[in-house]
């Protein structure tokens, strides 16, 4: 979510995002409801610790200021999206 969130996104999306971002009780709603393939997070935060426990995600890059998580099934999901787009184009 970018800096335009107050003017672009409905209030419920903002709430879901900030619940996720701060690792609140309902943090998984944002993760499961929207189709994320990658997440760029700050290390040593609550959401970072929660994501480390998620078995369907893996860390592919990290440094002192950021951690990049991707879905473990990213390549399969990418192939499926391409296939669906080709089929939709043909139809």
């Amino acid at each position: 979510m970018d800096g335009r969130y107050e003017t672009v996104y409905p209030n419920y999306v903002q709430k879901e995002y900030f619940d996720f971002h701060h690792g609140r009780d309902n943090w998984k709603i944002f993760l499961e409801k929207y189709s994320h393939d990658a997440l760029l997070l700050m290390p040593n935060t609550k959401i970072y610790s929660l994501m480390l426990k998620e078995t369907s995600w893996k860390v592919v890059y990290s440094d002192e200021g950021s951690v990049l998580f991707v879905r473990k099934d990213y390549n399969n999901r990418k192939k499926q999206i391409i296939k669906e787009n080709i089929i939709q184009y043909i139809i």
Side-chain angles (χ1 to χ4, degrees):
M1 183 167 294
D2 60 34
R4 304 169 299 153
Y5 71 88
E6 291 178 325
T7 58
V8 176
Y9 301 102
N11 288 339
Y12 71 91
V13 174
Q14 294 177 44
K15 181 183 179 332
E16 291 166 350
Y17 169 74
F18 286 111
D19 284 349
F20 170 80
H21 183 74
H22 295 292
R24 296 179 184 143
D25 288 342
N26 296 326
W27 71 274
K28 277 194 175 184
I29 291 174
F30 186 76
L31 188 64
E32 295 170 352
K33 188 174 180 180
Y34 304 101
S35 182
H36 304 285
D37 290 319
L39 298 167
L40 184 61
L41 304 174
M42 292 175 54
N44 304 315
T45 60
K46 187 172 182 181
I47 192 59
Y48 164 75
S49 298
L50 291 168
M51 286 302 299
L52 285 175
K53 298 174 187 173
E54 287 298 301
T55 58
S56 58
W57 291 82
K58 64 181 177 181
V59 174
V60 294
Y61 175 82
S62 67
D63 61 27
E64 65 279 349
S66 61
V67 180
L68 181 61
F69 287 87
V70 296
R71 286 185 177 275
K72 287 184 178 176
D73 66 348
Y74 173 72
N75 286 330
N76 292 335
R77 289 168 46 90
K78 185 170 69 172
K79 288 175 188 174
Q80 182 63 32
I81 290 168
I82 291 169
K83 181 180 175 183
E84 289 171 2
N85 286 336
I86 290 171
I87 291 170
Q88 186 176 26
Y89 178 76
I90 293 171
I91 295 175

